[in-house]
Amino acid sequence: MQTIFNIINIPLGWVLENLAGLFGGNFAASVFFFTLLANIVLIPLSIKSQKSSVQQTRIKPKLDDLKKRYGDDKQKYSEAMQKLYQEEGVSMSGGCLPMILRLVLMMSIYWLIMSPLTYLMHIDKSVITEAANQLSGNKSELQIIEAIRNGEINFPEISSKLNSIDFNLFGIDLTESPKFSFDIFHDAQLIWIMPVIAFLAQMLTSALSLMMQKKINPDAPNMMGMMLTMPLISLIIGFTLPGGVTFYWTCSSLIGGIIQIGVQQFYGPHKMLSRQRLKELNKECDFEEIQLKKAASADASDQSVQAGK
């Protein structure tokens, strides 16, 4: 899996590196605009997935009817369902492929953000592996950078290139990992802001998306539990990861959420089905108009023949 991400991240790393150069080596600015570009590129996939979802909504009454008819006979139901999809021109897996591609790309970008030594500073992999081993292994490159800055390990090959990238965000070191304590009055750290902001960003976009879904489809199931659960899980995990990762989550939640809400607004079920119905009516009108012209032409021809007689 890592090999696949490396193949994808070679060109993506080049984009991130050039963005970092454009913003004077500022890691936060390059991550923000990189996330913005990635989400803009993914808009066609979001639209395709939304269209597929709308088509599923359109044929749902017919699927429910098939289920009533063949519910006890799974084979006949499956055959009837496939036939319905073919007749309606709807792909049974139309919404899956865009979601899979989006997931792979988002995971790849996550790996890219975690690996500035590889993709931004071009440090040799053997040096990174040796540094990770000195930190008991299984450490991200952001954590390696934090350890070198704190003097826990010494690697001149890495230290000499650290000044090329600025990991500071309003006084917060994005290579630092939060160290949680229940004694928040004595042990609070500035880096705690990052997982909390990521949590709030996910809560905001989830709430807006839920409101949009309810507006579009009042009968949609209540997703309040999921809306609370996912951000809470992210908050807990965020306290184990470097601030650069939770900053990326914040950017991804806000940018991706706003774009997704926009897609839902312009490609919602009611609007898309209305546009489709309008096209069907236009086709019917065009067909009737053609038939009327043919009939008029035939009448004119008959009258011409009779006049000749």
Side-chain angles (χ1 to χ4, degrees), residues 86-102:
Q86 290 175 355
E87 290 175 349
E88 296 291 337
V90 179
S91 173
M92 296 182 70
S93 59
C96 296
L97 183 59
M99 289 178 64
I100 292 171
L101 290 174
R102 185 182 183 88

Side-chain angles (χ1 to χ4, degrees), residues 159-187:
S159 301
S160 62
K161 294 187 177 183
L162 287 183
N163 290 333
S164 63
I165 302 295
D166 179 13
F167 292 95
N168 180 70
L169 175 66
F170 303 119
I172 300 173
D173 183 359
L174 295 181
T175 67
E176 188 179 354
S177 298
K179 297 175 180 61
F180 183 73
S181 170
F182 286 103
D183 189 0
I184 60 175
F185 296 103
H186 294 93
D187 299 330

Side-chain angles (χ1 to χ4, degrees), residues 95-111:
C96 296
L97 183 59
M99 289 178 64
I100 292 171
L101 290 174
R102 185 182 183 88
L103 178 62
V104 170
L105 187 57
M106 288 294 101
M107 290 177 67
S108 183
I109 293 173
Y110 166 79
W111 186 266

